[in-house]
Amino acid sequence: MTVYKKEPDAKVAKTEEETEDKEEEEKSTKPPAGSSKSGWKNWKKAKESDSGGEESKITYCHWLLKSEPESRLEKGVDVKFSIEDLKAQPNQTTFWEGVRNYQARNFLRAMKLGQQAFFYHSNCKEPGIVGIVKIVKEAYPDHTQFDQKDPHYDSSSRKENPKWSMVDVQFVRMTKRFIPLSEIKTHHLAHKADGGPLKNMMLFSRQRLSIQPLTQEEFDFVLSLEEEKPH
């Protein structure tokens, strides 16, 4: 069982994102709004009845957080942190530390209290979405950047002007079933062809980024998959 004091030794598929170009710091990645067609008409019709069917400006109000459920040593430290590890934490809450990519950091800083995120198991045999968490504390300095014993220590960061941030997240629930990456990708490819809600999903355009934003439309569609039988 993971204890709270050991949390800096865990979480996030950090090395996946550290190879990304750090000049992404100021780059905007908001995708354009898309139309909706075959394969998900009933879902779209229900959403249109809620919104009057009008297109609105795309905003990110949900998130996808990647974490590694299997043991892997990084600078001698096991970075494993599964959703079961989160559930074992006091109040099922933890800080989401160790992000060392500017774009991912900026997404962390954009998170608002109460927003929900998918908990995504990454860098494992079958990656995919296993549960839902919520933001319970907005961005504040990530203390691990100053800890020389931590695998994500950053000697260039200063306490008076910290480079890196983290948020606190709390377990909400497991998804009704595991939603594998392969299934989401099938919908993404179909939606790229017919203009569906997942056509611009960042999970496929910035695969290595461990913190990813989701539009309301993307979140709702992916969540609806938990009600379907696996293909």
Side-chain angles (χ1 to χ4, degrees):
M1 175 177 167
T2 304
V3 295
Y4 194 76
K5 291 296 184 182
K6 294 293 289 182
E7 286 183 57
D9 298 347
K11 266 186 298 310
V12 204
K14 306 176 187 73
T15 56
E16 290 190 359
E17 65 184 13
E18 288 174 352
T19 57
E20 296 289 344
D21 188 349
K22 290 191 176 183
E23 291 181 1
E24 292 290 344
E25 182 173 10
E26 304 301 330
K27 185 177 179 181
S28 172
T29 58
K30 291 186 178 180
S35 59
S36 303
K37 294 183 182 177
S38 63
W40 40 280
K41 291 179 180 178
N42 291 337
W43 176 85
K44 177 178 181 289
K45 189 178 296 182
K47 299 307 295 180
E48 284 184 339
S49 67
D50 292 338
S51 64
E54 296 181 359
E55 294 281 358
S56 59
K57 184 178 180 181
I58 291 294
T59 55
Y60 295 126
C61 49
H62 296 280
W63 310 92
L64 183 146
L65 307 179
K66 292 183 179 181
S67 191
E68 299 187 29
E70 299 175 0
S71 290
R72 180 177 67 82
L73 293 180
E74 187 173 320
K75 297 181 181 178
V77 175
D78 192 349
V79 296
K80 170 187 176 292
F81 194 85
S82 70
I83 197 165
E84 295 301 326
D85 292 319
L86 174 61
K87 290 167 66 177
Q89 298 301 314
N91 203 28
Q92 298 184 315
T93 300
T94 190
F95 42 81
W96 204 269
E97 91 291 349
V99 172
R100 297 296 182 267
N101 170 278
Y102 284 112
Q103 188 176 23
R105 179 208 65 184
N106 290 347
F107 289 145
L108 281 175
R109 290 179 176 180
M111 292 177 178
K112 301 299 181 186
L113 198 66
Q115 289 182 337
Q116 293 191 336
F118 288 126
F119 195 110
Y120 180 98
H121 278 172
S122 179
N123 198 23
C124 54
K125 184 175 180 181
E126 189 171 22
I129 293 168
V130 292
I132 298 172
V133 300
K134 67 179 179 180
I135 310 306
V136 293
K137 184 175 181 179
E138 295 180 7
Y140 61 104
D142 177 351
H143 62 268
T144 66
Q145 65 194 301
F146 307 120
D147 183 357
Q148 295 186 30
K149 296 180 180 179
D150 192 272
H152 303 102
Y153 169 67
D154 184 350
S155 61
S156 67
S157 187
R158 299 289 178 263
K159 289 188 176 182
E160 62 271 17
N161 186 26
K163 279 187 177 182
W164 308 110
S165 302
M166 61 185 182
V167 298
D168 287 0
V169 303
Q170 183 177 42
F171 175 79
V172 174
R173 68 174 177 88
M174 303 293 290
T175 45
K176 294 180 181 178
R177 68 176 179 88
F178 173 66
I179 305 173
L181 172 63
S182 57
E183 181 179 345
I184 302 171
K185 185 175 182 178
T186 297
H187 289 288
H188 164 68
L189 293 174
H191 292 183
K192 280 185 71 176
D194 65 17
L198 302 191
K199 70 174 186 176
N200 291 310
M201 192 174 185
M202 199 173 291
L203 186 59
F204 304 100
S205 62
R206 296 299 302 274
Q207 296 95 324
R208 300 180 70 85
L209 205 60
S210 71
I211 307 291
Q212 301 186 359
L214 297 169
T215 64
Q216 185 70 53
E217 190 177 39
E218 289 169 342
F219 183 85
D220 288 345
F221 183 85
V222 172
L223 188 60
S224 75
L225 297 178
E226 71 174 354
E227 302 291 348
E228 299 179 9
K229 292 182 179 180
H231 297 297

